[in-house]
Amino acid sequence: MERPIGIFDSGVGGLTVAAAIKKVLPGESFIYFGDTQHAPYGDKSAETITRYSENITRFLLSQNCKAIVIACNSASAVAYSTLVQKFPQTVILNVIDPVVEFVATVTRGKVGIIATRATIQSGIYEKKLLQLNPKMEVVSAATPLLAPLIEEGFMHTDISQGAIREYLDDSKFNGLSTLILGCTHYPLIEREIQHFFGEKVSVVDSPELVARKLGKTLAENNLKNPATVADYRFYLSEKTTAFSSVARMFFGEGINLTEQRI
Ligand code: DGL
């Protein structure tokens, strides 16, 4: 129960999930791994993303983690089933299922998804949404520049606003009622995306939904930590200034970042 949760992403995106876990499950410690050396994942092949994900999972398990959260949609889309198969004793969560379950039950009207190429090409959101709600109208678009520009720290700039306009000013999004941010980097520019669409579109992101699902899953597996204080450790495969500044923004100045190759 006292062991930490392992959380990973290609870089800063998964910090949005880690921050929600800290808020929703304040007694849970975690070890975060950002694979900055290999970011972005979204343009890599399924084989490559799966190989990185497997190596990171092995590293996190070697650090005694009790559960793994794949805080990356691209890895959740292409590597989740392999990880579940290779680590059958470990509780593994992806970031896609909690969002699909939420949207399929509460949403009426047209749903849009924006994500990396790897996630969009996998078709996983459409498949899972339509399984739960066959009548749902779903449109999607790959927005491959958004994660790298966030990884480089260009949030809330003309660059991020220009890229959002370029990708989202598309007639396929006309009449949208809900937009899923299918990449854990995107909550860092959520305000800008919401501003582009206006209040009529509800923007759904994964961090809080994933944190709640994690709480439920830990309880079901008798893994919930009864502690009231938690410990957070951060590893990244290559130190970057953007990672340090986003990690400090969420977790304070005192955090410890360790470089770790995988
Ligand atoms: N944050 C990741 C995702 O949710 C990866 C983005 C990337 O590295 O391309 O897809």
Side-chain angles (χ1 to χ4, degrees):
M1 286 177 179
E2 284 80 17
R3 290 182 292 150
I5 294 154
I7 307 172
F8 77 87
D9 178 44
S10 62
V12 298
L15 291 169
T16 60
V17 178
I21 291 173
K22 179 182 173 208
K23 185 173 139 215
V24 175
L25 306 167
E28 298 294 342
S29 295
F30 64 71
I31 300 178
Y32 185 91
F33 193 98
D35 194 7
T36 38
Q37 189 191 10
H38 299 124
Y41 276 10
D43 291 327
K44 301 207 164 49
S45 69
E47 290 71 25
T48 303
I49 298 171
T50 304
R51 180 158 43 85
Y52 295 154
S53 302
E54 220 182 298
N55 290 343
I56 297 168
T57 302
R58 276 186 215 293
F59 169 72
L60 292 170
L61 294 178
S62 78
Q63 302 298 302
N64 205 23
C65 287
K66 63 180 175 184
I68 301 291
V69 177
I70 310 172
C72 170
N73 284 262
S74 311
S76 294
V78 304
Y80 173 66
S81 50
T82 305
L83 295 186
V84 168
Q85 209 183 325
K86 295 227 165 158
F87 305 98
Q89 314 294 358
T90 308
V91 171
I92 302 178
L93 258 82
N94 67 69
V95 284
I96 295 173
D97 289 332
V99 174
V100 166
E101 283 156 22
F102 173 77
V103 170
T105 39
V106 306
T107 298
R108 303 277 166 273
K110 187 168 164 183
V111 174
I113 302 145
I114 54 169
T116 64
R117 275 202 193 98
T119 303
I120 295 301
Q121 279 168 5
S122 76
I124 194 157
Y125 272 101
E126 287 92 329
K127 227 182 303 163
K128 287 183 177 242
L129 281 168
L130 293 173
Q131 256 164 22
L132 293 182
N133 184 348
K135 291 205 183 104
M136 188 168 265
E137 188 186 355
V138 183
V139 292
S140 63
T143 49
L145 268 183
L146 296 185
L149 72 83
I150 292 166
E151 201 61 43
E152 290 295 329
F154 287 107
M155 294 81 100
H156 317 301
T157 63
D158 291 347
I159 297 175
S160 56
Q161 275 155 28
I164 288 169
R165 209 175 325 114
E166 195 63 34
Y167 284 131
L168 304 185
D169 191 6
D170 186 321
S171 57
K172 75 163 112 175
F173 290 121
N174 289 351
L176 207 61
S177 82
T178 299
L179 179 75
I180 295 175
L181 303 186
C183 173
T184 54
H185 280 66
Y186 300 172
L188 291 163
I189 51 167
E190 183 165 351
R191 254 192 298 136
E192 292 163 80
I193 295 171
Q194 183 75 67
H195 181 77
F196 175 82
F197 281 112
E199 294 306 316
K200 61 190 186 300
V201 173
S202 75
V203 175
V204 177
D205 63 17
S206 57
E208 194 132 340
L209 295 167
V210 173
R212 284 187 209 292
K213 171 97 174 200
L214 174 64
K216 218 169 134 224
T217 310
L218 291 176
E220 282 162 7
N221 287 278
N222 276 332
L223 286 173
K224 209 157 185 188
N225 194 339
T228 47
V229 283
D231 175 52
Y232 308 122
R233 277 188 280 154
F234 299 86
Y235 289 91
L236 61 173
S237 47
E238 197 160 88
K239 277 197 178 161
T240 67
T241 42
F243 189 95
S244 310
S245 73
V246 176
R248 293 204 162 88
M249 175 181 97
F250 282 128
F251 299 97
E253 286 301 314
I255 57 163
N256 214 338
L257 299 177
T258 309
E259 207 169 58
Q260 170 75 39
R261 302 268 183 222
I262 49 140

